[in-house]
Amino acid sequence: MIIMIQIENISKSFNNHLVLNELSLTVNQGETLVIIGKSGSGKSILLKLIIGLLRPETGNISIEGNDIVKAGFRDLQEIRRHFGFVFQASALFDSMTVAENINLMLRKRLKWPVQKISERTDECLRFVGLQGLGKKRPSELSGGMKKRVGIARAIASYPHYILFDEPTTGLDPETADNINQLVLKLKNELNVTSIVVTHDMKSAFTIADRISLLHNGKIVVNGKPADILKSEHSEIRKFIYGYSLLK
Ligand SMILES: Nc1ncnc2c1ncn2[C@@H]1O[C@H](COP(=O)(O)OP(=O)(O)O)[C@@H](O)[C@H]1O
Ligand SMILES: [Mg+2]
């Protein structure tokens, strides 16, 4: 196993409230790691720390050997190029078409030639099952379709990593499952390394190679889905109980 992301003893607080408390975690090449934890446990903060949008007060984060915590602006930009980010709210620009949203980075940051941009945009639309909808506006799409556009945008520049912040939260079960299937397709066809944070246990068990529980600022349980099902940890039991009630 090749370690792609190594997080060691990071702490982060806001207004004297310690959100992450010497948290450690590794992410291996090609895996889908699902981080579960209740609302406010620090899942989104953890993702922001990984891409250097926030800095921890203590600890180290390395991405393929590059130190994120000490990196300057330019190095951070270079490292971030390898990340696709699927935001919790789809975060699409309503003033742009779907296609323009997807290829924003290719146009503005990477400055690809027009033809290449157009081909890649169509490829990404097809990948997420939205072929032919590039000219629509995000406001004309359903919640699930907007999520798909967000995923198409995240994969457009061939990232090595995709970070998902609650990709299924707020979606109906069928739409949520479509998104789960899309996350699996990303793993199988694009060979990306993904971190998904969620409190949706059905999603977690559908897509995860490994599940980690974030609780009281640390990763307190970590294992394959089958091991997580057997875990006696009270917080895990609560998640699984809630999930079994829904089945
Ligand atoms: N920019 C911020 N300023 C102050 N507190 C914050 C900020 N961002 C997050 N927090 C606090 O950090 C905690 C963890 O937030 P977050 O990572 O968003 O939780 P989760 O994504 O697990 O629901 C929460 O208590 C939240 O209020
Ligand atoms: Mg969050």
Side-chain angles (χ1 to χ4, degrees):
M1 259 186 307
I2 302 171
I3 294 177
M4 300 293 271
I5 301 179
Q6 181 139 35
I7 299 170
E8 289 173 306
N9 300 319
I10 53 165
S11 296
K12 182 73 189 170
S13 48
F14 291 99
N15 313 319
N16 291 328
H17 168 54
L18 194 54
V19 177
L20 301 182
N21 182 9
E22 307 213 324
L23 177 148
S24 298
L25 179 68
T26 58
V27 188
N28 303 308
Q29 184 173 39
E31 77 173 337
T32 299
L33 173 69
V34 173
I35 299 173
I36 59 172
K38 57 190 179 196
S39 281
S41 58
K43 304 183 298 297
S44 297
I45 296 296
L46 181 57
L47 293 183
K48 286 176 188 162
L49 288 162
I50 290 172
I51 52 172
L53 287 176
L54 292 173
R55 286 184 204 262
E57 282 118 33
T58 62
N60 297 309
I61 301 175
S62 97
I63 314 286
E64 291 175 67
N66 298 295
D67 184 334
I68 282 285
V69 177
K70 296 200 189 74
F73 182 70
R74 273 183 186 281
D75 287 339
L76 269 182
Q77 273 203 325
E78 181 55 34
I79 296 165
R80 271 191 212 138
R81 274 183 42 181
H82 301 298
F83 282 83
F85 205 102
V86 180
F87 299 92
Q88 182 164 2
S90 296
L92 302 174
F93 295 101
D94 279 325
S95 59
M96 295 180 195
T97 65
V98 164
E100 286 164 347
N101 269 283
I102 292 172
N103 60 37
L104 183 62
M105 174 95 125
L106 312 183
R107 284 184 286 129
K108 299 287 181 193
R109 180 77 55 78
L110 304 176
K111 303 196 189 306
W112 284 12
V114 173
Q115 182 63 24
K116 196 175 158 198
I117 290 175
S118 152
E119 283 167 12
R120 181 60 182 155
T121 305
D122 287 344
E123 210 169 63
C124 292
L125 279 166
R126 268 199 309 280
F127 189 89
V128 300
L130 295 177
Q131 53 275 23
L133 298 184
K135 292 205 165 65
K136 293 235 179 254
R137 299 271 162 182
S139 57
E140 298 174 83
L141 304 181
S142 68
M145 288 161 102
K146 283 185 198 171
K147 273 272 143 74
R148 286 168 181 272
V149 176
I151 293 173
R153 177 176 59 188
I155 63 174
S157 60
Y158 302 102
H160 302 174
Y161 306 93
I162 305 186
L163 308 184
F164 296 85
D165 196 348
E166 312 241 7
T168 57
T169 298
L171 300 178
D172 65 79
E174 192 183 337
T175 309
D177 211 56
N178 288 333
I179 298 298
N180 290 333
Q181 295 309 317
L182 194 49
V183 175
L184 284 172
K185 185 173 157 190
L186 283 176
K187 173 192 159 64
N188 294 331
E189 296 182 18
L190 305 183
N191 190 32
V192 289
T193 301
S194 297
I195 303 177
V196 182
V197 306
T198 188
H199 55 242
D200 175 350
M201 285 306 268
K202 174 147 196 283
S203 174
F205 282 115
T206 306
I207 63 181
D209 294 310
R210 195 153 60 89
I211 297 176
S212 297
L213 170 69
L214 172 55
H215 183 60
N216 291 341
K218 291 183 195 294
I219 299 297
V220 293
V221 181
N222 178 33
K224 294 203 162 69
D227 302 328
I228 296 297
L229 272 176
K230 287 182 272 178
S231 167
E232 299 291 333
H233 194 285
S234 64
E235 216 35 49
I236 294 274
R237 295 318 316 167
K238 278 189 221 163
F239 269 104
I240 291 175
Y241 181 64
Y243 167 48
S244 61
L245 284 179
L246 291 173
K247 277 204 296 190

